[in-house]
């Protein structure tokens, strides 16, 4: 009997997930209920980055005591990758799709994490991208370079799409990020027929509104999920870590493509989130990324749930 590529991949994913589950506990996840909306935070693994990737532009004499006080190494960063899964009625929605197998050896665990929740790639009805960096986008294709979530429609901010699909971006982004541009364009081109675009403030799905958070990338979006008076903000990388981004949000970060705009975005967003006490899900915030933003005398702090 002939086996289709899709069935082969589904079976392989199930085998990998099964082996992973026998070797270790099911991937940790947090669950949030908002009326008829269920949000699960699932793991795509983690990254291992040199500290300078974020810290190099910052005033070192001020930076190091803050990091020491927060228990954060200045040399190595190991941020988690927290993918948000939303289910409502017949919709199964992913906000970002992780790294896939080609970006980092410590990441690419999304399929096993979804399997632990009995969610298969073909169950996903919608994929929404915060932005097109590798650890958020590169998991969109399978091992045969076909769209992994074959039944899904895809959504991305118009400005983000325009930037990464522009053939001039690879020549303008700088050598350190040239591979990001090549990888993003190739993957976005593969889903071009299934993708739709939105702008700031659009209700992209029932109860889900786009929030422009430019700076980390030119068209980065966050998403407010709301039911009545309750809301959760899916941050993506608009607040990129749980230490210095909170303690000194005004400082420029080496991870941001437009550091000045990103700093303004962080300050505005944290002011709103702390004032309204909105629960957040951060892609690279500690643990499952779920918590609140608390205003302090010198900046802000991430208050982790659980």
């Amino acid at each position: 009997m002939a086996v289709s590529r899709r069935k082969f991949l589904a079976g392989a994913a199930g085998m990998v997930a099964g082996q992973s589950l026998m070797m270790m506990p099911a991937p940790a996840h947090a669950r949030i209920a908002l009326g008829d909306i269920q949000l699960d935070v699932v793991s795509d693994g983690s990254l291992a980055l040199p500290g300078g990737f974020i810290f190099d532009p910052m005033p070192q004499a001020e930076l190091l005591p803050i990091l020491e006080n927060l228990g954060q190494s200045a040399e190595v960063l190991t941020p988690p990758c927290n993918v948000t899964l939303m289910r409502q009625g017949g919709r199964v929605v992913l906000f970002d799709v992780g790294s896939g197998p080609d970006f980092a050896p410590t990441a690419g665990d999304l399929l096993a994490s979804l399997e632990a929740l009995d969610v298969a790639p073909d169950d996903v009805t919608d994929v929404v991208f915060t932005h097109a960096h590798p650890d958020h986008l590169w998991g969109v294709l399978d091992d045969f370079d076909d769209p992994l979530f074959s039944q899904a429609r895809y959504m991305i901010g118009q400005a983000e799409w325009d930037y990464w699909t522009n053939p001039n971006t690879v020549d303008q982004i700088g050598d350190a990020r040239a591979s990001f541009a090549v990888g993003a364009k190739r993957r976005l081109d593969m889903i071009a027929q299934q993708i739709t675009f939105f702008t700031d403030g659009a209700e992209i799905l029932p109860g889900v509104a786009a929030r422009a958070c430019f700076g980390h990338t030119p068209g980065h979006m966050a998403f407010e999920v709301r039911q009545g008076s309750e809301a959760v903000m899916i941050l993506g990388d608009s607040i990129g870590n749980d230490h210095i981004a909170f303690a000194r949000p005004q400082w420029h970060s080496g991870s941001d493509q437009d550091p000045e705009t990103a700093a303004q975005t962080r300050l505005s967003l944290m002011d709103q989130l702390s004032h309204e006490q909105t629960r957040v899900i951060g892609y690279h915030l500690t643990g499952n990324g779920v918590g609140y933003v608390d205003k302090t005398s010198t900046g802000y702090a991430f208050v982790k749930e659980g």
Side-chain angles (χ1 to χ4, degrees):
M1 180 179 67
V3 179
S4 70
R5 294 190 299 174
R6 178 66 53 194
K7 288 182 178 178
F8 173 81
L9 278 175
M15 289 175 62
V16 170
Q19 292 167 356
S20 298
L21 291 173
M22 287 187 288
M23 294 168 58
M24 63 187 69
H29 66 278
R31 177 163 293 173
I32 300 171
L34 292 176
D36 67 339
I37 293 176
Q38 178 176 299
L39 299 173
D40 285 285
V41 185
V42 300
S43 176
D44 188 51
S46 61
L47 302 179
L49 304 170
F53 178 70
I54 287 177
F55 301 139
D56 274 357
M58 299 178 181
Q60 299 298 301
E62 296 178 61
L63 170 70
L64 295 178
I66 295 172
L67 293 180
E68 184 177 358
N69 185 55
L70 294 172
Q72 170 60 47
S73 167
E75 304 300 324
V76 180
L77 295 158
T78 56
C81 297
N82 302 308
V83 175
T84 303
L85 171 72
M86 184 181 95
R87 287 178 278 190
Q88 181 186 34
R91 288 189 185 277
V92 179
V93 185
L94 283 175
F95 292 87
D96 296 328
V97 293
S99 298
D102 299 327
F103 180 60
T106 53
D109 297 340
L110 180 60
L111 286 181
S113 297
L114 292 176
E115 177 74 13
L117 296 180
D118 295 321
V119 175
D122 286 353
D123 295 332
V124 176
T125 59
D126 304 87
V127 172
V128 182
F129 296 110
T130 61
H131 65 298
H133 275 169
D135 52 325
H136 298 255
L137 170 68
W138 283 18
V140 76
L141 299 182
D142 65 22
D143 290 343
F144 297 97
D145 270 356
D146 292 327
L148 176 60
F149 305 98
S150 62
Q151 305 304 307
R153 65 166 182 160
Y154 301 87
M155 289 176 271
I156 195 170
Q158 183 71 63
E160 190 75 356
W161 171 269
D162 291 345
Y163 177 77
W164 293 104
T165 57
N166 184 335
N168 295 320
T169 294
V170 67
D171 298 318
Q172 298 168 349
I173 197 172
D175 291 346
R177 288 186 168 96
S179 64
F180 291 13
V182 172
K185 188 175 189 308
R186 183 170 75 84
R187 288 165 175 82
L188 292 174
D189 284 347
M190 292 293 294
I191 58 173
Q193 300 304 311
Q194 292 81 42
I195 203 160
T196 58
F197 312 109
F198 54 85
T199 55
D200 183 31
E203 186 178 36
I204 63 167
L205 294 166
V208 181
R211 161 72 183 268
C213 290
F214 300 163
H216 183 67
T217 62
H220 187 290
M221 290 282 184
F223 302 95
E224 183 188 72
V225 183
R226 177 173 292 277
Q227 287 275 287
S229 61
E230 291 190 278
V232 174
M233 187 73 77
I234 299 170
L235 296 170
D237 285 1
S238 56
I239 303 175
N241 60 70
D242 56 277
H243 37 83
I244 204 66
F246 283 84
R248 295 294 185 272
Q250 72 274 22
W251 285 0
H252 290 186
S253 170
S255 67
D256 296 327
Q257 292 184 221
D258 181 345
E260 180 59 33
T261 299
Q264 294 172 7
T265 291
R266 277 193 299 276
L267 284 165
S268 174
L269 188 58
M270 286 190 179
D271 183 64
Q272 174 194 338
L273 294 170
S274 62
H275 177 73
E276 298 176 356
Q277 279 296 283
T278 301
R279 187 182 281 170
V280 301
I281 300 172
Y283 198 84
H284 295 304
L285 300 188
T286 187
N288 290 316
V290 179
Y292 293 86
V293 178
D294 190 26
K295 189 169 178 57
T296 70
S297 60
T298 57
Y300 297 86
F302 178 55
V303 181
K304 182 174 64 172
E305 280 195 1

